[in-house]
Protein backbone atom coordinates (compact mmCIF):
# COMPACT_ATOMS: atom_id res chain seq x y z
CA UNK A 1 0.00 0.00 0.00
CA UNK A 2 1.40 3.39 -0.92
CA UNK A 3 2.16 6.06 1.67
CA UNK A 4 -0.06 8.93 2.71
CA UNK A 5 -3.01 6.77 3.74
CA UNK A 6 -5.48 7.93 6.35
CA UNK A 7 -5.78 6.29 9.75
CA UNK A 8 -8.46 3.61 9.92
CA UNK A 9 -11.78 4.44 11.53
CA UNK A 10 -12.12 2.91 14.94
CA UNK A 11 -15.83 2.09 14.88
CA UNK A 12 -16.22 -1.58 14.06
CA UNK A 13 -18.07 -2.92 12.26
CA UNK A 14 -18.38 0.01 9.88
CA UNK A 15 -22.14 0.72 9.79
CA UNK A 16 -23.90 0.11 6.49
CA UNK A 17 -24.76 3.45 4.93
CA UNK A 18 -28.34 4.27 3.99
CA UNK A 19 -29.28 6.75 1.27
CA UNK A 20 -32.09 9.24 0.66
CA UNK A 21 -33.04 7.86 -2.74
CA UNK A 22 -32.21 5.14 -5.24
CA UNK A 23 -30.18 6.40 -8.25
CA UNK A 24 -31.13 5.51 -11.80
CA UNK A 25 -29.27 2.55 -13.24
CA UNK A 26 -26.68 3.17 -15.93
CA UNK A 27 -27.48 1.61 -19.35
CA UNK A 28 -23.97 0.13 -19.31
CA UNK A 29 -25.10 -2.25 -16.54
CA UNK A 30 -26.86 -5.24 -18.06
CA UNK A 31 -28.15 -8.34 -16.25
CA UNK A 32 -28.01 -11.81 -17.76
CA UNK A 33 -31.32 -12.53 -16.04
CA UNK A 34 -34.00 -9.87 -15.59
CA UNK A 35 -34.46 -8.63 -12.03
CA UNK A 36 -37.89 -9.44 -10.53
CA UNK A 37 -39.59 -10.25 -13.89
CA UNK A 38 -43.04 -10.92 -12.41
CA UNK A 39 -42.87 -8.43 -9.55
CA UNK A 40 -45.97 -6.67 -8.25
CA UNK A 41 -46.97 -4.17 -5.59
CA UNK A 42 -47.42 -5.46 -2.04
CA UNK A 43 -51.18 -5.77 -1.45
CA UNK A 44 -53.04 -4.21 1.46
CA UNK A 45 -54.42 -7.01 3.63
CA UNK A 46 -57.63 -6.85 5.64
CA UNK A 47 -56.92 -6.29 9.32
CA UNK A 48 -58.72 -9.48 10.38
CA UNK A 49 -56.76 -11.66 7.95
CA UNK A 50 -54.53 -14.38 9.38
CA UNK A 51 -51.39 -14.81 7.31
CA UNK A 52 -48.97 -17.70 7.45
CA UNK A 53 -45.28 -16.80 7.10
CA UNK A 54 -42.88 -19.30 5.52
CA UNK A 55 -39.12 -19.55 5.55
CA UNK A 56 -37.88 -20.20 2.00
CA UNK A 57 -34.34 -21.27 1.14
CA UNK A 58 -32.76 -22.90 -1.92
CA UNK A 59 -29.29 -23.21 -3.46
CA UNK A 60 -28.16 -20.12 -5.38
CA UNK A 61 -29.03 -20.49 -9.09
CA UNK A 62 -31.03 -23.63 -8.29
CA UNK A 63 -33.16 -23.00 -11.36
CA UNK A 64 -30.07 -23.55 -13.54
CA UNK A 65 -27.70 -25.80 -11.58
CA UNK A 66 -30.05 -27.68 -9.24
CA UNK A 67 -28.40 -28.65 -5.95
CA UNK A 68 -24.82 -28.02 -7.13
CA UNK A 69 -24.21 -24.88 -5.01
CA UNK A 70 -26.26 -26.41 -2.23
CA UNK A 71 -23.44 -28.89 -1.63
CA UNK A 72 -21.25 -25.87 -0.86
CA UNK A 73 -23.99 -24.41 1.34
CA UNK A 74 -24.30 -21.34 -0.89
CA UNK A 75 -27.97 -20.63 -0.32
CA UNK A 76 -30.50 -17.96 -1.28
CA UNK A 77 -33.19 -16.91 1.19
CA UNK A 78 -36.72 -15.56 0.82
CA UNK A 79 -39.95 -15.33 2.79
CA UNK A 80 -43.41 -16.53 1.79
CA UNK A 81 -46.89 -15.46 2.88
CA UNK A 82 -50.31 -17.12 2.61
CA UNK A 83 -53.57 -15.25 3.24
CA UNK A 84 -56.28 -17.26 4.99
CA UNK A 85 -59.03 -14.99 3.63
CA UNK A 86 -58.06 -15.14 -0.05
CA UNK A 87 -55.95 -18.29 -0.15
CA UNK A 88 -53.34 -16.40 -2.19
CA UNK A 89 -49.61 -17.02 -1.74
CA UNK A 90 -46.83 -14.45 -2.09
CA UNK A 91 -43.02 -14.49 -2.19
CA UNK A 92 -40.71 -11.69 -1.08
CA UNK A 93 -36.94 -11.69 -1.54
CA UNK A 94 -34.00 -9.32 -1.94
CA UNK A 95 -31.26 -9.80 -4.50
CA UNK A 96 -28.90 -8.16 -7.00
CA UNK A 97 -30.17 -6.14 -9.95
CA UNK A 98 -27.19 -7.18 -12.11
CA UNK A 99 -26.18 -10.54 -10.63
CA UNK A 100 -23.64 -11.28 -7.94
CA UNK A 101 -20.45 -10.78 -9.96
CA UNK A 102 -21.29 -7.19 -10.85
CA UNK A 103 -22.10 -6.39 -7.23
CA UNK A 104 -18.83 -7.89 -6.01
CA UNK A 105 -16.30 -6.60 -8.55
CA UNK A 106 -16.21 -3.55 -10.83
CA UNK A 107 -15.70 -3.08 -14.55
CA UNK A 108 -12.47 -1.43 -15.67
CA UNK A 109 -13.61 0.74 -18.56
CA UNK A 110 -10.93 2.20 -20.84
CA UNK A 111 -12.73 5.55 -20.98
CA UNK A 112 -12.93 5.92 -17.19
CA UNK A 113 -10.15 6.29 -14.61
CA UNK A 114 -12.13 4.94 -11.66
CA UNK A 115 -13.51 1.39 -11.51
CA UNK A 116 -17.15 1.35 -12.61
CA UNK A 117 -19.60 -0.47 -10.34
CA UNK A 118 -22.87 -2.04 -11.47
CA UNK A 119 -24.11 -2.59 -7.96
CA UNK A 120 -27.62 -2.35 -6.63
CA UNK A 121 -29.83 -4.72 -4.69
CA UNK A 122 -33.56 -4.48 -4.10
CA UNK A 123 -36.63 -6.23 -2.74
CA UNK A 124 -38.85 -8.21 -5.09
CA UNK A 125 -42.47 -9.11 -4.25
CA UNK A 126 -44.69 -11.28 -6.42
CA UNK A 127 -47.77 -13.45 -6.20
CA UNK A 128 -47.28 -17.18 -5.77
CA UNK A 129 -44.79 -19.52 -4.11
CA UNK A 130 -42.89 -21.89 -6.41
CA UNK A 131 -43.16 -24.93 -4.16
CA UNK A 132 -41.02 -27.11 -6.44
CA UNK A 133 -38.18 -24.57 -6.44
CA UNK A 134 -37.99 -24.25 -2.67
CA UNK A 135 -38.82 -27.85 -1.71
CA UNK A 136 -36.73 -29.76 -4.27
CA UNK A 137 -33.30 -28.86 -2.86
CA UNK A 138 -34.08 -26.44 -0.06
CA UNK A 139 -36.58 -25.40 2.58
CA UNK A 140 -40.23 -24.34 2.73
CA UNK A 141 -41.40 -24.30 6.35
CA UNK A 142 -43.98 -22.36 8.38
CA UNK A 143 -42.27 -20.09 10.93
CA UNK A 144 -45.06 -17.89 12.31
CA UNK A 145 -48.56 -16.49 11.79
CA UNK A 146 -49.38 -12.76 11.68
CA UNK A 147 -52.43 -10.53 11.34
CA UNK A 148 -53.32 -8.45 8.31
CA UNK A 149 -52.51 -5.33 10.31
CA UNK A 150 -49.00 -6.59 11.05
CA UNK A 151 -48.49 -7.48 7.40
CA UNK A 152 -49.47 -3.95 6.31
CA UNK A 153 -47.10 -2.39 8.84
CA UNK A 154 -44.33 -4.68 7.63
CA UNK A 155 -45.06 -3.58 4.05
CA UNK A 156 -44.47 0.07 4.99
CA UNK A 157 -41.16 -0.88 6.57
CA UNK A 158 -40.15 -2.85 3.45
CA UNK A 159 -40.72 0.29 1.36
CA UNK A 160 -38.42 2.32 3.63
CA UNK A 161 -35.79 -0.42 3.78
CA UNK A 162 -35.82 -0.83 0.01
CA UNK A 163 -35.55 2.88 -0.76
CA UNK A 164 -32.66 3.55 1.62
CA UNK A 165 -30.58 0.33 1.54
CA UNK A 166 -29.65 0.17 -2.11
CA UNK A 167 -26.17 -1.35 -2.43
CA UNK A 168 -25.39 -5.06 -2.26
CA UNK A 169 -22.40 -5.95 -0.06
CA UNK A 170 -21.10 -9.47 -0.67
CA UNK A 171 -18.40 -9.77 1.95
CA UNK A 172 -18.36 -10.13 5.69
CA UNK A 173 -14.87 -9.15 6.85
CA UNK A 174 -13.59 -10.21 10.24
CA UNK A 175 -10.35 -10.67 12.15
CA UNK A 176 -10.35 -14.46 12.52
CA UNK A 177 -12.58 -17.56 12.30
CA UNK A 178 -13.29 -17.26 16.03
CA UNK A 179 -16.98 -16.43 16.52
CA UNK A 180 -16.00 -13.75 19.04
CA UNK A 181 -13.50 -12.07 16.73
CA UNK A 182 -13.88 -8.48 15.59
CA UNK A 183 -16.15 -7.94 12.59
CA UNK A 184 -14.77 -5.12 10.44
CA UNK A 185 -17.56 -5.05 7.82
CA UNK A 186 -20.88 -6.86 7.65
CA UNK A 187 -22.47 -8.09 4.45
CA UNK A 188 -25.74 -6.73 3.10
CA UNK A 189 -27.42 -9.38 0.96
CA UNK A 190 -30.49 -11.60 0.66
CA UNK A 191 -30.20 -13.35 4.02
CA UNK A 192 -29.73 -10.08 5.90
CA UNK A 193 -32.97 -8.77 4.37
CA UNK A 194 -34.82 -11.87 5.56
CA UNK A 195 -33.33 -11.51 9.05
CA UNK A 196 -34.38 -7.86 9.14
CA UNK A 197 -37.89 -8.83 8.01
CA UNK A 198 -38.19 -11.48 10.72
CA UNK A 199 -36.99 -8.99 13.32
CA UNK A 200 -39.52 -6.40 12.16
CA UNK A 201 -42.30 -8.98 12.46
CA UNK A 202 -41.08 -9.89 15.96
CA UNK A 203 -41.08 -6.20 16.89
CA UNK A 204 -44.69 -6.06 15.72
CA UNK A 205 -45.60 -9.00 17.93
CA UNK A 206 -45.04 -12.16 15.88
CA UNK A 207 -44.04 -15.28 17.79
CA UNK A 208 -41.75 -17.60 15.83
CA UNK A 209 -41.58 -21.38 16.00
CA UNK A 210 -38.51 -22.89 17.62
CA UNK A 211 -36.76 -24.35 14.60
CA UNK A 212 -33.14 -24.22 13.48
CA UNK A 213 -32.39 -21.63 10.80
CA UNK A 214 -29.01 -21.41 9.05
CA UNK A 215 -27.70 -18.80 6.61
CA UNK A 216 -24.75 -18.52 4.24
CA UNK A 217 -21.97 -15.98 4.77
CA UNK A 218 -18.86 -15.45 2.66
CA UNK A 219 -16.13 -14.23 4.99
CA UNK A 220 -12.79 -12.56 4.30
CA UNK A 221 -10.19 -12.64 7.08
CA UNK A 222 -8.10 -9.54 7.57
CA UNK A 223 -6.08 -7.50 10.02
CA UNK A 224 -7.44 -4.07 10.87
CA UNK A 225 -8.55 -2.39 7.61
CA UNK A 226 -6.98 0.84 6.36
CA UNK A 227 -9.23 3.57 5.01
CA UNK A 228 -8.08 4.79 1.59
CA UNK A 229 -10.67 7.35 0.46
CA UNK A 230 -13.52 7.69 -2.02
CA UNK A 231 -13.57 7.79 -5.80
CA UNK A 232 -12.80 11.51 -6.02
CA UNK A 233 -9.97 11.54 -3.51
CA UNK A 234 -8.26 8.55 -5.14
CA UNK A 235 -9.09 8.82 -8.84
CA UNK A 236 -9.91 12.52 -9.19
CA UNK A 237 -7.60 15.25 -10.59
CA UNK A 238 -5.92 15.67 -7.20
CA UNK A 239 -6.00 11.96 -6.41
CA UNK A 240 -3.31 9.46 -5.51
CA UNK A 241 -2.13 8.13 -8.88
CA UNK A 242 -0.04 5.34 -7.36
CA UNK A 243 -2.91 4.11 -5.23
CA UNK A 244 -5.35 4.44 -8.14
CA UNK A 245 -3.12 2.25 -10.31
CA UNK A 246 -2.78 -0.34 -7.52
CA UNK A 247 -6.57 -0.61 -7.12
CA UNK A 248 -7.14 -0.97 -10.85
CA UNK A 249 -4.40 -3.59 -11.05
CA UNK A 250 -5.94 -5.54 -8.17
CA UNK A 251 -9.37 -5.69 -9.82
CA UNK A 252 -8.11 -6.53 -13.31
CA UNK A 253 -8.05 -10.37 -12.86
CA UNK A 254 -11.69 -10.43 -11.73
CA UNK A 255 -13.05 -9.55 -15.17
CA UNK A 256 -15.20 -12.04 -17.13
CA UNK A 257 -13.01 -14.63 -18.86
CA UNK A 258 -12.88 -15.35 -22.56
CA UNK A 259 -10.99 -18.64 -22.49
CA UNK A 260 -9.82 -21.39 -20.14
CA UNK A 261 -6.24 -20.16 -20.45
CA UNK A 262 -7.20 -16.62 -19.46
CA UNK A 263 -9.17 -17.95 -16.50
CA UNK A 264 -6.18 -19.81 -15.05
CA UNK A 265 -3.80 -16.90 -15.71
CA UNK A 266 -6.13 -14.56 -13.84
CA UNK A 267 -6.72 -17.12 -11.08
CA UNK A 268 -2.96 -17.26 -10.48
CA UNK A 269 -2.89 -13.46 -10.25
CA UNK A 270 -5.72 -13.49 -7.69
CA UNK A 271 -3.91 -16.09 -5.56
CA UNK A 272 -0.71 -14.07 -5.82
CA UNK A 273 -2.36 -10.85 -4.64
CA UNK A 274 -4.73 -12.18 -1.97
CA UNK A 275 -2.82 -15.12 -0.46
CA UNK A 276 0.86 -14.61 -1.28
CA UNK A 277 0.88 -10.82 -0.90
CA UNK A 278 -1.99 -10.57 1.62
CA UNK A 279 -3.82 -7.82 -0.26
CA UNK A 280 -7.47 -7.06 -0.88
CA UNK A 281 -9.14 -3.79 -1.84
CA UNK A 282 -12.70 -3.51 -0.54
CA UNK A 283 -15.30 -1.06 -1.84
CA UNK A 284 -17.86 -0.43 0.91
CA UNK A 285 -20.27 2.50 1.36
CA UNK A 286 -18.79 4.07 -1.81
CA UNK A 287 -15.35 4.14 -0.16
CA UNK A 288 -12.19 2.10 -0.63
CA UNK A 289 -10.41 0.17 2.11
CA UNK A 290 -7.22 -1.88 2.13
CA UNK A 291 -7.49 -5.27 3.82
CA UNK A 292 -4.22 -6.85 5.08
CA UNK A 293 -5.36 -10.41 4.42
CA UNK A 294 -4.45 -13.31 6.67
CA UNK A 295 -5.09 -17.06 6.89
CA UNK A 296 -7.50 -18.70 6.17
CA UNK A 297 -8.20 -15.72 3.82
CA UNK A 298 -11.71 -16.77 2.75
CA UNK A 299 -14.35 -19.10 4.11
CA UNK A 300 -17.96 -19.93 3.25
CA UNK A 301 -19.95 -20.74 6.38
CA UNK A 302 -23.50 -21.99 6.87
CA UNK A 303 -24.22 -20.76 10.36
CA UNK A 304 -27.27 -20.90 12.59
CA UNK A 305 -28.97 -17.59 13.35
CA UNK A 306 -31.94 -18.16 15.67
CA UNK A 307 -35.35 -16.77 14.83
CA UNK A 308 -36.07 -13.60 16.86
CA UNK A 309 -38.08 -13.41 20.03
CA UNK A 310 -41.37 -11.54 19.95
CA UNK A 311 -42.75 -9.06 22.45
CA UNK A 312 -44.95 -10.08 25.38
CA UNK A 313 -48.11 -8.86 23.66
CA UNK A 314 -47.70 -11.20 20.72
CA UNK A 315 -49.78 -12.62 17.93
CA UNK A 316 -48.86 -15.93 16.38
CA UNK A 317 -48.25 -19.61 16.90
Amino acid sequence: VSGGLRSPRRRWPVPYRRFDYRPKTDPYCQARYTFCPTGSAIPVMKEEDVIEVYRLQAPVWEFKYGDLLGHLKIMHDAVGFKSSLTGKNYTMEWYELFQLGNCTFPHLRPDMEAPFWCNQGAACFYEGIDDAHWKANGTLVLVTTISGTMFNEMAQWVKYDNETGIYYETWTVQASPDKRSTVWFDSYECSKFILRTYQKLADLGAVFKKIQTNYTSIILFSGEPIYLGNETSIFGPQGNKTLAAAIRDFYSPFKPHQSVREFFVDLFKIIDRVILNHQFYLFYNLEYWFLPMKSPYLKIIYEEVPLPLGSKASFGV
Side-chain angles (χ1 to χ4, degrees):
V1 185
S2 60
L5 303 182
R6 306 180 188 185
S7 299
R9 300 172 183 180
R10 299 296 178 182
R11 185 181 177 186
W12 306 113
V14 173
Y16 178 83
R17 178 182 172 187
R18 290 189 173 272
F19 295 81
D20 295 331
Y21 64 94
R22 181 179 292 274
K24 292 183 178 180
T25 58
D26 192 294
Y28 179 87
C29 299
Q30 298 293 323
R32 182 183 295 269
Y33 300 102
T34 302
F35 172 81
C36 202
T38 61
S40 61
I42 302 178
V44 177
M45 300 293 190
K46 292 185 177 180
E47 294 181 2
E48 66 272 21
D49 202 349
V50 177
I51 298 163
E52 295 176 338
V53 181
Y54 292 88
R55 177 174 185 255
L56 309 178
Q57 188 177 71
V60 170
W61 286 40
E62 189 269 347
F63 67 92
K64 186 173 183 179
Y65 298 117
D67 194 32
L68 177 62
L69 294 177
H71 293 296
L72 300 175
K73 298 300 182 184
I74 302 177
M75 309 295 283
H76 173 66
D77 298 274
V79 59
F81 304 96
K82 181 179 180 180
S83 165
S84 64
L85 288 182
T86 67
K88 290 184 176 181
N89 297 328
Y90 303 92
T91 300
M92 185 171 71
E93 52 192 325
W94 196 95
Y95 59 99
E96 325 89 47
L97 269 65
F98 310 109
Q99 274 78 68
L100 181 61
N102 282 321
C103 291
T104 309
F105 299 108
H107 295 259
L108 301 180
R109 299 173 62 176
D111 57 331
M112 302 178 69
E113 181 66 21
F116 182 81
W117 293 85
C118 292
N119 181 7
Q120 283 194 40
C124 175
F125 188 95
Y126 53 95
E127 186 173 339
I129 297 176
D130 185 351
D131 288 22
H133 169 71
W134 302 106
K135 283 183 176 179
N137 299 304
T139 300
L140 194 163
V141 61
L142 178 70
V143 291
T144 190
T145 305
I146 62 175
S147 67
T149 300
M150 293 163 62
F151 179 92
N152 295 336
E153 291 180 5
M154 178 210 69
Q156 291 301 311
W157 168 84
V158 168
K159 181 179 179 182
Y160 159 79
D161 187 81
N162 194 52
E163 289 176 349
T164 61
I166 57 180
Y167 292 111
Y168 190 101
E169 300 291 352
T170 302
W171 311 108
T172 294
V173 185
Q174 62 187 56
S176 77
D178 191 317
K179 290 185 178 181
R180 295 169 293 179
S181 71
T182 300
V183 175
W184 310 118
F185 302 92
D186 208 351
S187 59
Y188 195 88
E189 27 74 6
C190 66
S191 68
K192 297 301 171 66
F193 173 75
I194 300 306
L195 290 170
R196 291 195 304 277
T197 301
Y198 289 160
Q199 186 59 58
K200 181 62 180 179
L201 292 176
D203 294 342
L204 293 171
V207 177
F208 286 86
K209 289 178 174 289
K210 293 178 179 172
I211 58 174
Q212 183 169 333
T213 52
N214 290 60
Y215 303 90
T216 300
S217 291
I218 304 177
I219 303 177
L220 299 176
F221 298 101
S222 163
E224 187 166 2
I226 300 171
Y227 176 67
L228 303 177
N230 59 27
E231 181 178 306
T232 301
S233 66
I234 298 173
F235 298 96
Q238 306 301 318
N240 185 327
K241 300 300 182 184
T242 302
L243 178 58
I247 292 174
R248 287 183 62 90
D249 182 64
F250 171 79
Y251 284 129
S252 63
F254 294 95
K255 65 181 181 297
H257 304 93
Q258 303 300 319
S259 69
V260 174
R261 179 182 178 279
E262 287 178 332
F263 169 80
F264 282 106
V265 168
D266 285 347
L267 180 62
F268 177 80
K269 291 179 181 177
I270 293 169
I271 293 172
D272 178 68
R273 287 163 172 76
V274 176
I275 297 178
L276 300 182
N277 290 305
H278 310 287
Q279 296 178 347
F280 195 99
Y281 289 93
L282 178 72
F283 189 60
Y284 193 93
N285 286 346
L286 305 183
E287 298 174 317
Y288 287 92
W289 297 76
F290 177 78
L291 305 181
M293 298 294 288
K294 60 183 186 181
S295 180
Y297 306 103
L298 181 148
K299 189 176 182 180
I300 298 173
I301 65 169
Y302 188 62
E303 189 173 43
E304 181 180 8
V305 180
L307 289 164
L309 298 174
S311 63
K312 291 183 180 179
S314 298
F315 177 97
V317 294

